[in-house]
Amino acid sequence: MSQAISSNAPTMRSFFANRFVQSIMLSGIFLQIGIWIRNFAILLYVTDMTNNDPYSVSLISVAEFAPIFIFSFIGGAFADRWRPKLTMVWCDILSAVSVFVIMVTLYYGSWKAIFFATLVSSILSQFSQPSGMKLFKVHVHESQMQMGMSLFQSMMAIFMILGPIMGTFVYYHFGIEVAVAIMGVCFLLSALVLTFLPADRKADRGAEQPSTHIFAEMGEGFRYVQKNKMLVTLGGCFAVAGLAIGLISPLGIYLVTENLGLPKENLQWFMATNGIAMIIGGGLTMGFSKKMSPQALLILGMSVSVVTFAAMGMTHFLWLALLMQFLSGLVLPAIQIGINTMILGNTEEAFVGRVNGILNPLFMGAMVLTMSLAGSIKASFSLEMIYITSAALFLIGVFIMLPSLKYKPSVTAQPSNE
């Protein structure tokens, strides 16, 4: 029997007693362990095997991000057709199988197969992630949605601190084979936990769905977004925010070495500061989630980011740079939680996958575009100018979102009473 919340006034206790919340969080923990060990072990392994060849190292990012462009919308469309629980379980099982195949390949000496560990799991995540969003809409009460997103964000922030440590430790103490094996076991454990999710509703496989062609459903997804003012506004914000983040994300090392005059190893302290701030910010956002609309959370987070990005680019004081890094991490959960809650609050359950598949590539595409240009831009402009430009892009995003404060959610979440 599902423990999805149907009360008009759900409590914190009912939220944590929700079988969906318990299962999805435990699955998320296993996935985060596997992903972070994968990311750092493969990074260190490739640098060792290629003697720090930048082209080979960049292929890791290509394997991780390219599937988002190619498969995000396709995965979202199929997630709207398939049973979400079954989709998530099979994605984790297939990820585990691919990992163990790669482990056998490594054993026989073909180290380049390691890139496929990232590629395959990244592709499958484009089918699994929108299915998880659909289940969130089904099994979590609307008033608890932001709290659920906050909990997820806090978990991810914790792993931003612990993940690099785990990945580095496993690789240097046990080697790439053990790291890959742990990755596969984590995917299998996640799949096992997901089997305890409430059963998919029979309505998810209505008789009318198979008669509709997948391309027709994709077209319906685009028309659905175009007709929704909130989603169109959010899409514009996504694109601008992606441009801003992509512009500065590869340049953090120069902030440390050029502006602050410190060895590059000190970048780890900025990452740790950001991770700690995200944990605190996730908790604060959870507290404010019932008092602020998701669009207000997003605007607040982006407004603070305007100040922090500009200040980080201009300051030459370590204490001020760390403070700005902390504030930036503090509001990041508000941005991400606001975005996810807005998507769920303004999208019918039948379109959640396709809406995710349309909006996410807008952000990723813009981010990768400026990320790929960041090196040449750095050669022509000062670091201060680049950070100020990023802050200005975030300010444009704030202006894009301001009209949304007048909008109300166009869809009301209807948790199931299974």
Side-chain angles (χ1 to χ4, degrees):
M1 196 75 165
S2 171
Q3 298 182 32
I5 309 304
S6 59
S7 169
N8 290 328
T11 63
M12 182 78 76
R13 182 177 179 180
S14 67
F15 174 77
F16 286 105
N18 187 331
R19 195 171 85 201
F20 168 76
V21 173
Q22 294 171 350
S23 299
I24 205 73
M25 286 301 299
L26 184 56
S27 166
I29 290 172
F30 286 128
L31 286 178
Q32 286 293 307
I33 293 172
I35 288 169
W36 278 103
I37 290 178
R38 177 198 74 189
N39 288 350
F40 268 77
I42 290 178
L43 174 64
L44 295 170
Y45 178 68
V46 170
T47 56
D48 284 347
M49 295 298 293
T50 64
N51 195 27
N52 296 316
D53 174 46
Y55 174 74
S56 297
V57 172
S58 68
L59 283 179
I60 300 173
S61 296
V62 171
E64 185 175 354
F65 291 112
I68 296 175
F69 301 113
I70 303 169
F71 293 98
S72 182
F73 186 53
I74 298 171
F78 276 104
D80 285 335
R81 291 169 66 95
W82 296 339
R83 294 183 180 181
K85 173 186 173 180
L86 200 61
T87 300
M88 295 177 73
V89 171
W90 272 108
C91 282
D92 283 349
I93 291 174
L94 291 173
S95 292
V97 170
S98 70
V99 165
F100 291 126
V101 169
I102 288 161
M103 190 167 67
V104 172
T105 308
L106 282 174
Y107 181 78
Y108 285 102
S110 181
W111 70 268
K112 293 181 182 178
I114 198 69
F115 290 107
F116 288 96
T118 300
L119 182 65
V120 172
S121 62
S122 184
I123 290 172
L124 290 170
S125 71
Q126 303 312 307
F127 294 84
S128 178
Q129 189 267 345
S131 297
M133 291 281 280
K134 283 175 68 72
L135 288 177
F136 236 101
K137 191 171 183 69
V138 172
H139 296 294
V140 177
H141 195 279
E142 182 186 14
S143 64
Q144 295 178 325
M145 225 166 258
Q146 287 189 181
M147 183 164 56
M149 296 297 171
S150 299
L151 197 61
F152 256 102
Q153 199 59 50
S154 297
M155 178 184 69
M156 293 177 68
I158 291 171
F159 277 98
M160 279 187 68
I161 300 171
L162 298 180
I165 298 172
M166 288 190 303
T168 303
F169 178 84
V170 169
Y171 176 71
Y172 280 122
H173 284 78
F174 303 105
I176 189 64
E177 290 85 1
V178 172
V180 171
I182 292 174
M183 189 195 323
V185 170
C186 285
F187 283 129
L188 284 178
L189 289 173
S190 173
L192 178 63
V193 169
L194 289 174
T195 61
F196 292 96
L197 287 173
D200 287 321
R201 299 184 306 178
K202 293 181 180 179
D204 290 335
R205 290 292 294 257
E208 76 283 355
Q209 277 187 305
S211 64
T212 307
H213 197 279
I214 183 65
F215 292 110
E217 294 185 7
M218 289 180 179
E220 288 175 7
F222 279 107
R223 289 190 290 274
Y224 184 86
V225 171
Q226 289 172 352
K227 292 177 182 177
N228 190 310
K229 289 190 297 182
M230 184 74 87
L231 295 178
V232 170
T233 301
L234 192 58
C237 179
F238 261 46
V240 173
L243 291 172
I245 293 174
L247 191 61
I248 63 171
S249 59
L251 304 179
I253 190 71
Y254 298 106
L255 193 71
V256 173
T257 57
E258 292 185 9
N259 277 18
L260 301 176
L262 298 171
K264 63 180 183 296
E265 291 79 12
N266 285 275
L267 181 62
Q268 64 180 311
W269 304 116
F270 282 81
M271 294 179 66
T273 299
N274 196 61
I276 292 169
M278 283 180 63
I279 296 172
I280 299 172
L284 292 175
T285 304
M286 192 182 298
F288 283 108
S289 62
K290 291 186 178 181
K291 301 175 183 178
M292 296 179 68
S293 66
Q295 53 265 46
L297 277 176
L298 177 57
I299 291 171
L300 173 64
M302 293 184 69
S303 299
V304 173
S305 296
V306 171
V307 177
T308 57
F309 284 8
M312 275 193 285
M314 292 188 293
T315 186
H316 295 275
F317 296 104
L318 176 60
W319 67 269
L320 183 57
L322 285 172
L323 176 61
M324 292 299 103
Q325 186 78 12
F326 181 85
L327 291 176
S328 178
L330 196 67
V331 298
L332 186 59
I335 294 174
Q336 295 177 330
I337 291 162
I339 286 171
N340 287 332
T341 308
M342 286 174 67
I343 292 175
L344 290 177
N346 291 275
T347 307
E348 296 172 44
E349 180 192 336
F351 287 89
V352 169
R354 280 165 284 180
V355 169
N356 268 279
I358 292 169
L359 295 183
N360 284 336
L362 282 175
F363 175 81
M364 294 303 305
M367 185 179 76
V368 174
L369 174 65
T370 48
M371 193 182 289
S372 62
L373 297 173
S376 55
I377 293 174
K378 171 68 173 63
S380 304
F381 298 94
S382 68
L383 199 62
E384 290 84 353
M385 182 61 67
I386 295 173
Y387 269 80
I388 290 173
T389 301
S390 179
L393 287 169
F394 256 101
L395 185 60
I396 293 171
V398 171
F399 286 129
I400 290 174
M401 288 304 303
L402 281 176
S404 71
L405 290 173
K406 299 181 294 183
Y407 305 158
K408 293 184 178 180
S410 59
V411 178
T412 301
Q414 299 289 343
S416 67
N417 297 317
E418 300 168 37

